[in-house]
Amino acid sequence: MKEVAMNQTEINENVERVMLSGEQIGKRVKEVAAQLNKLYEGRRPLVVCILKGSVIFFTDLIRHMDMPLEIDFMAVSSYGNGTKSGQLKVTKDLTTDISGRDVLIVEDIIDSGNTLYNLKKLLNSRSPASVNIVTLLDKPERREVPMEPEYTCFVIEDEFVVGYGMDYAEEFRNLPYIGVLKRSVYEK
Ligand code: IMP
Ligand code: MG
């Protein structure tokens, strides 16, 4: 059985270059999980996956977390891009009561910061014991509102990336690496 499907290991034709390989990501995710293991030692955090982009990062991360934890899912988007008062649209809310809980938000990428700025405000209004943010990627150059995640796997330049959960027009989430999309893909 030598014939292995190559379409996922070869670079996708719409990808300009691989920014972070699956191996690089895996190594860093493990390091960040080790930091979280210290932070939450003896506690029982509620780890929240922000759908859909965080799903692969989330499933990799929690498998390296060694305290008892619970998981929940939330889907949000922010309106009013480019305005500081961008509002949050919650399309799927948590099913867990977070009052008194240690909440860890798991996000794929922070860009303008609007989504997480508003999400953190919303969750804080529900009286949790703590709210921390772990993000896979951060593009600090693009920030429009103050938003500092407690944990970041990689700080990146202002480029549009896909793969490892992240999409362009709902495509490319299944790429096992993070790649920079060819301009021709979104300019056509
Ligand atoms: P923010 O509210 O501007 O911080 O938006 C963050 C959200 O925008 C992320 O959760 C992603 O869904 C999306 N996003 C921002 N930059 C990228 C990118 O380079 N690739 C894919 N999605 C992105
Ligand atoms: Mg997202």
Side-chain angles (χ1 to χ4, degrees):
M1 294 291 274
K2 270 219 143 172
E3 280 159 59
V4 177
M6 289 300 288
N7 58 322
Q8 286 291 300
T9 47
E10 279 171 6
I11 297 182
N12 182 288
E13 61 178 359
N14 299 294
V15 168
E16 181 77 49
R17 67 184 171 89
V18 175
M19 178 184 273
L20 295 160
S21 69
E23 205 178 351
Q24 284 175 298
I25 299 166
K27 189 164 165 263
R28 181 65 185 139
V29 168
K30 228 169 146 175
E31 285 172 4
V32 171
Q35 294 179 290
L36 294 168
N37 287 339
K38 284 200 193 110
L39 177 73
Y40 291 114
E41 194 182 347
R43 295 197 271 168
R44 185 190 182 87
L46 176 72
V47 188
V48 175
C49 175
I50 307 302
L51 298 170
K52 303 171 191 169
S54 306
V55 72
I56 296 179
F57 173 43
F58 176 84
T59 54
D60 279 350
L61 183 75
I62 60 171
R63 281 180 287 179
H64 293 294
M65 293 175 67
D66 59 13
M67 77 295 298
L69 56 77
E70 291 176 39
I71 63 172
D72 206 343
F73 300 86
M74 201 167 179
V76 297
S77 58
S78 57
Y79 285 131
N81 266 348
T83 61
K84 289 195 179 181
S85 55
Q87 283 186 0
L88 196 72
K89 184 184 175 194
V90 177
T91 51
K92 189 222 169 290
D93 207 339
L94 298 173
T95 56
T96 315
D97 175 6
I98 65 166
S99 87
R101 299 297 304 270
D102 291 306
V103 177
L104 177 66
I105 301 173
V106 181
E107 178 64 305
D108 53 353
I109 182 164
I110 308 181
D111 191 43
S112 70
N114 281 309
T115 306
L116 280 185
Y117 179 85
N118 291 302
L119 179 62
K120 200 168 179 182
K121 209 160 66 178
L122 173 68
L123 295 186
N124 272 324
S125 74
R126 297 177 183 178
S127 312
S130 66
V131 178
N132 285 302
I133 295 169
V134 58
T135 188
L136 175 65
L137 303 178
D138 188 4
K139 289 185 196 173
E141 279 172 52
R142 301 257 309 167
R143 208 68 98 248
E144 293 170 7
V145 290
M147 169 45 60
E148 273 299 316
E150 281 74 16
Y151 297 90
T152 301
C153 293
F154 302 96
V155 173
I156 64 165
E157 310 262 287
D158 179 14
E159 288 181 291
F160 196 85
V161 292
V162 293
Y164 196 68
M166 290 170 290
D167 73 308
Y168 171 69
E170 294 302 325
E171 216 178 309
F172 311 111
R173 294 192 194 276
N174 54 326
L175 298 180
Y177 53 82
I178 294 171
V180 178
L181 210 56
K182 284 182 182 161
R183 294 191 78 88
S184 57
V185 179
Y186 50 90
E187 283 175 356
K188 73 187 167 193

